[in-house]
Amino acid sequence: MQLDLFAALQDDDTPKPPAPAPAKPPVRHEVPAPPIETRASSSTAVPARTAPPRTLPMGKIADPSQYAFNVGEAVANTWHKNHGGTRIEIPIGIVASLALIGQKDKKGPDLKAQILAQNDRDLLEMYRQIWASHWMRRPDLVERARILHEWANEEKHTRHELHMVRAVTKTALDKGLFDLTGHADPYLRSQADVLSPTLTMMRSTGAMQGLGEFHTPPQVTDAMAWAALADLSAEISDDGKSLAPGQSILDPAAGTGGMLRSAAQQIRHQGLDPADFTWAMVDIDPIAAACAAVNAMVWGLGPRVTVACDDSLANPRAVEDAMKQARGAFEHRDRTLGQAKMIAAVRQMQGLLGRVAGTAA
């Protein structure tokens, strides 16, 4: 069964490519979102599960969405006040890159201090390595996010560009980005979407209106996700079933993925793992779609995630087309790794033969 969240507004260690979408059309649910304060008393409350709801960790931030907004606002101010230029994919990409890493050992060296202690060239190389390491696992999502990281692989960078990379990095870390994204637990990493306010603040109001781009407040997406998932649970419970792993959740106008973040958190509250579901996001804006791809990794949505950069109204097969592209990305990765292993094996053999020849001499 596939749930279209957008309809709520209407009357081995190597992951495999996302599975094909179900052949049957998505089920649409015409349920208005209840006020946040009345969720618990809603008549469409989620029925009891066979597994009890998970005990979720408490976050340290009182208002994560406001915290995320502060990070985005500070990054935008740093970029614009220092005349960063029109390439807004650079500051957004820096925030996205930092969101993909975290402090593995809380008692270990301070990650922020380590990052800022690097010289400009090493800092740039760090960003390249972040994306390279994630490409090994999710080449499809890294490819979708290319606009956010291809700048780091350019051969030449001006002194001002390197200065701006450092300035934005310092601002994001000083404003506490890792307080939002640096957690090991995906529930804590999913408390807010930091890329949405960053993108919003980096763009002028006129540019956003020209794109038809309006980001839904997180409080609204939380309420809508609750209503949609409650409606799905009520509907399928009539057949003796329940919200269960393997079901699909789609947002055909996803932006940076805020609706799916809310849905994933509600699924966790029901004692389930979002990684066991199938997710699909579509957005016409390349930077928004790139942010959605990054968020899918940050929020731990799992191996069955497809992000399409397309017009879902003009192309009803946007998700299927994106799945085909994703399979191509995985095949390219496998070919590349196969060639790398072959080269490594040849070099190892050459070294062995060289040592044998040296011994014989």
Side-chain angles (χ1 to χ4, degrees):
M1 175 171 292
Q2 180 164 288
L3 171 65
D4 187 341
L5 289 176
F6 188 72
L9 290 175
Q10 303 174 359
D11 277 54
D12 115 333
D13 294 335
T14 303
K16 299 298 186 291
K24 57 184 179 181
V27 177
R28 295 185 177 271
H29 305 278
E30 305 290 342
V31 178
I36 295 176
E37 63 270 16
T38 62
R39 291 178 190 169
S41 60
S42 171
S43 60
T44 58
V46 178
R49 304 277 170 247
T50 55
R54 172 187 172 200
T55 301
L56 298 170
M58 296 297 293
K60 298 179 180 179
I61 302 174
D63 189 347
S65 61
Q66 181 60 49
Y67 204 94
F69 177 85
N70 293 342
V71 173
E73 182 180 46
V75 166
N77 287 340
T78 295
W79 182 260
H80 292 309
K81 287 183 178 180
N82 288 276
H83 308 288
T86 59
R87 298 186 66 184
I88 64 172
E89 67 273 14
I90 295 178
I92 298 171
I94 290 171
V95 175
S97 303
L98 294 172
L100 287 170
I101 61 177
Q103 186 87 39
K104 292 184 177 180
D105 182 4
K106 293 183 179 180
K107 297 181 180 180
D110 182 67
L111 185 57
K112 172 186 170 182
Q114 287 183 308
I115 291 174
L116 295 179
Q118 300 177 100
N119 62 41
D120 290 345
R121 293 295 174 181
D122 288 343
L123 185 61
L124 192 63
E125 181 61 26
M126 180 198 75
Y127 285 123
R128 292 171 178 153
Q129 292 300 322
I130 289 171
W131 292 100
S133 63
H134 282 82
W135 176 82
M136 297 286 287
R137 295 189 58 80
R138 291 306 303 262
D140 56 327
L141 296 180
V142 171
E143 179 61 29
R144 179 63 65 209
R146 173 181 288 274
I147 194 172
L148 298 182
H149 58 81
E150 60 184 350
W151 58 268
N153 291 317
E154 294 172 358
E155 292 185 3
K156 295 182 179 180
H157 295 85
T158 67
R159 183 175 300 178
H160 183 64
E161 286 175 336
L162 293 175
H163 167 74
M164 291 308 304
V165 168
R166 176 171 295 279
V168 170
T169 300
K170 186 176 186 305
T171 295
L173 296 179
D174 285 346
K175 294 301 292 186
L177 175 62
F178 286 161
D179 293 338
L180 288 170
T181 63
H183 304 282
D185 192 305
Y187 174 80
L188 294 177
R189 291 199 306 272
S190 306
Q191 291 184 96
D193 177 2
V194 71
L195 293 178
S196 175
T198 303
L199 173 56
T200 301
M201 298 301 295
M202 288 302 307
R203 278 186 170 144
S204 66
T205 302
M208 292 178 60
Q209 291 176 346
L211 289 167
E213 183 175 68
F214 300 94
H215 292 247
T216 308
Q219 295 84 354
V220 176
T221 62
D222 287 345
M224 290 174 57
W226 180 273
L229 291 178
D231 181 49
L232 174 63
S233 299
E235 175 181 306
I236 60 183
S237 65
D238 292 340
D239 298 326
K241 302 177 182 178
S242 63
L243 186 65
Q247 293 166 346
S248 301
I249 300 176
L250 163 70
D251 188 348
T256 59
M259 186 76 73
L260 268 63
R261 181 199 67 81
S262 297
Q265 293 296 75
Q266 295 298 344
I267 285 173
R268 290 185 173 107
H269 277 282
Q270 296 184 36
L272 301 172
D273 186 353
D276 294 331
F277 290 73
T278 298
W279 305 86
M281 293 180 272
V282 185
D283 200 88
I284 195 172
D285 174 24
I287 297 184
C291 290
V294 174
N295 280 333
M297 293 184 279
V298 174
W299 298 336
L301 296 187
R304 290 172 291 277
V305 180
T306 303
V307 181
C309 183
D310 208 335
D311 184 345
S312 58
L313 295 177
N315 180 16
R317 292 187 54 82
V319 173
E320 288 82 355
D321 290 346
M323 285 182 173
K324 183 178 180 180
Q325 295 170 2
R327 288 191 288 272
F330 276 92
E331 290 169 0
H332 171 67
R333 181 206 60 185
D334 293 343
R335 287 195 302 271
T336 302
L337 292 181
Q339 292 169 357
K341 290 178 180 178
M342 179 67 71
I343 292 172
V346 170
R347 288 179 177 174
Q348 184 179 19
M349 181 61 68
Q350 288 174 338
L352 178 61
L353 292 174
R355 288 193 296 272
V356 170
T359 302

